[in-house]
Amino acid sequence: MPAAGCFAYNGHIATFYAAINVTASAVIQVKRGIGDVIWHLPFVRAIAAVSPGGQVTFLAPSSSGAKELLAAEPSVAETVYFDNSGSQLRRGLNQLLLIARLRQRHFRKIWILDRTIRPAQAAKLAGIPERIGLGLGPQQRYITNAGIDQSHFHDQPIDWLIALMAAMNVPLPTTEPDLPVPAATLANIGERYKSRRRPWIVLGMGGSHPDKDWSDFFWLELLAGLRRRCAGTIFLIGGRQNTARANNLIQHTFGTAAINGCDLRLNESLALLRLADLFIGTDSGPMNMAVAAQTDAFALFGATPVLKYSKFIHPIVPEGGPSPGGMKRISAPTVLEQVTPLLSRLKNPK
């Protein structure tokens, strides 16, 4: 039986970590997109479940919007931003800043959810004793686990992480993100649009690369068709950079109500998608958010591989499959044909 002094010592350790607002374990992901935070989330939860206190600190680039997206996520105690882009000089300075952030929080273990070298190198220089990574290529020199088999080198990133969870004996119950929304935000969005007729159809425009997006002509054709066929309300989202574009599309089509929601904050867009009945859009942050909100998402994969992490993803691909320039080979009538049978369906009928 442990001596009473052991309990006192452990209590002091717990108080120390609470006082400096850190967790014993951290997870770092280097990808810059909103969607990247979302599809990583089931792995973050799996790691948190086997970590002290059931929580981790999550580190990600600021462009990912992780702080806002994960505001209501119980497995994440804190989200910390770091930068990893720019010139060689800027990247070197960013690396020093990352080392300082890691050292300041006294982590005992860090999980590196990518095969890149810099985060693992930073973790070692910060003195983190356990550094769990994929170990694909040169990263192997900086981690403390065996990594995954090199045969996975050219796999999709999600398959790397599935292999890592298996290698580390970490249960992965599901790859569905099911991202919680702050209750107040959900209530506010519900109140804001309560007078709008259902069903609510959300269109997600834009993409992290121009090859992922549709031309305005295709968007115009799709919106015109939807406004003629749908008896509910159509919302357009895609971030502030698409505000003028959405206004132009709405002004040049007619029919059922259409609302420009491009000025919504990330949490507000997530709340809208949680309340929505259907999503149609590109392989983008909004599409991943729709999936995380458990709303059926008809997603256009013209130039990128189809994502398969969720049952809510319903891919629309060009003939012959995704390939460079493939978005030009997905027509608006093709999309309309697939979604028209669902335009009167309610996700949560009362």
Side-chain angles (χ1 to χ4, degrees):
M1 180 175 179
C6 292
F7 289 111
Y9 175 78
N10 289 337
H12 286 311
I13 291 293
T15 302
F16 167 76
Y17 277 109
I20 60 174
N21 192 32
V22 299
T23 54
S25 296
V27 175
I28 184 167
Q29 79 90 13
V30 302
K31 293 179 172 59
R32 301 178 60 78
I34 292 168
D36 297 310
V37 172
I38 288 167
W39 73 256
H40 276 88
L41 184 54
F43 299 97
V44 175
R45 287 181 179 141
I47 293 166
V50 297
S51 299
Q55 289 186 311
V56 295
T57 296
F58 184 67
L59 295 102
S62 57
S63 60
S64 69
K67 285 187 178 182
E68 191 170 353
L69 287 171
L70 302 179
E73 173 53 42
S75 69
V76 175
E78 179 189 20
T79 298
V80 176
Y81 283 152
F82 69 98
D83 291 316
N84 60 356
S85 60
S87 66
Q88 279 298 105
L89 175 60
R90 183 72 256 173
R91 288 165 69 88
L93 292 172
N94 288 338
Q95 183 78 337
L96 293 175
L97 289 170
L98 177 58
I99 293 167
R101 287 190 177 101
L102 294 175
R103 187 175 289 154
Q104 180 186 36
R105 285 168 170 77
H106 305 281
F107 297 121
R108 303 300 302 166
K109 180 185 287 190
I110 189 166
W111 293 73
I112 300 127
L113 303 187
D114 196 82
R115 69 184 187 189
T116 50
I117 300 171
R118 284 177 180 263
Q121 196 177 53
K124 184 172 183 178
L125 291 171
I128 300 176
E130 289 187 75
R131 303 176 299 277
I132 310 301
L134 301 168
L136 295 172
Q139 189 197 74
Q140 182 63 63
R141 299 196 296 266
Y142 302 100
I143 62 174
T144 55
N145 63 314
I148 62 176
D149 195 274
Q150 296 297 312
S151 63
H152 291 288
F153 193 88
H154 296 292
D155 287 356
Q156 293 295 316
I158 194 167
D159 295 319
W160 294 341
L161 299 189
I162 290 171
L164 181 62
M165 297 299 104
M168 297 302 297
N169 296 312
V170 173
L172 180 67
T174 180
T175 58
E176 293 285 353
D178 191 12
L179 183 59
V181 184
T185 306
L186 193 66
N188 287 340
I189 291 297
E191 180 67 21
R192 184 184 305 182
Y193 297 122
K194 68 179 182 180
S195 64
R196 297 296 180 171
R197 293 183 62 183
R198 286 195 172 269
W200 291 357
I201 313 297
V202 178
L203 300 188
M205 302 184 300
S208 57
H209 190 278
D211 286 349
K212 288 186 172 186
D213 201 1
W214 241 5
S215 71
D216 283 359
F217 174 81
F218 284 171
W219 279 117
L220 190 70
E221 194 175 8
L222 177 66
L223 181 58
L226 289 173
R227 295 188 75 179
R228 289 194 301 268
R229 290 168 171 79
C230 179
T233 305
I234 300 169
F235 298 83
L236 285 75
I237 64 172
R240 293 184 184 277
Q241 67 274 19
N242 282 298
T243 300
R245 188 182 185 194
N247 275 334
N248 186 57
L249 293 173
I250 292 170
Q251 289 169 9
H252 287 87
T253 55
F254 62 89
T256 194
I259 296 174
N260 187 348
C262 289
D263 61 344
L264 293 173
R265 300 195 313 271
L266 275 183
N267 266 342
E268 292 175 329
S269 293
L270 184 63
L272 174 63
L273 288 163
R274 181 66 77 170
L275 297 169
D277 299 291
L278 185 68
F279 174 89
I280 307 163
T282 54
D283 174 16
S284 61
M287 183 277 292
N288 286 281
M289 290 168 64
V291 169
Q294 296 194 315
T295 295
D296 285 315
F298 282 78
L300 281 57
F301 293 92
T304 50
V306 172
L307 298 176
K308 300 177 180 178
Y309 68 85
S310 171
K311 66 182 180 182
F312 294 100
I313 298 174
H314 305 282
I316 299 176
V317 301
E319 188 174 352
S323 63
M327 289 297 287
K328 297 176 183 176
R329 295 185 286 113
I330 301 177
S331 70
T334 297
V335 177
L336 282 166
E337 182 181 357
Q338 294 204 37
V339 303
T340 294
L342 302 173
L343 295 181
S344 60
R345 188 196 65 172
L346 298 177
K347 183 170 74 172
N348 297 308
K350 293 181 179 179

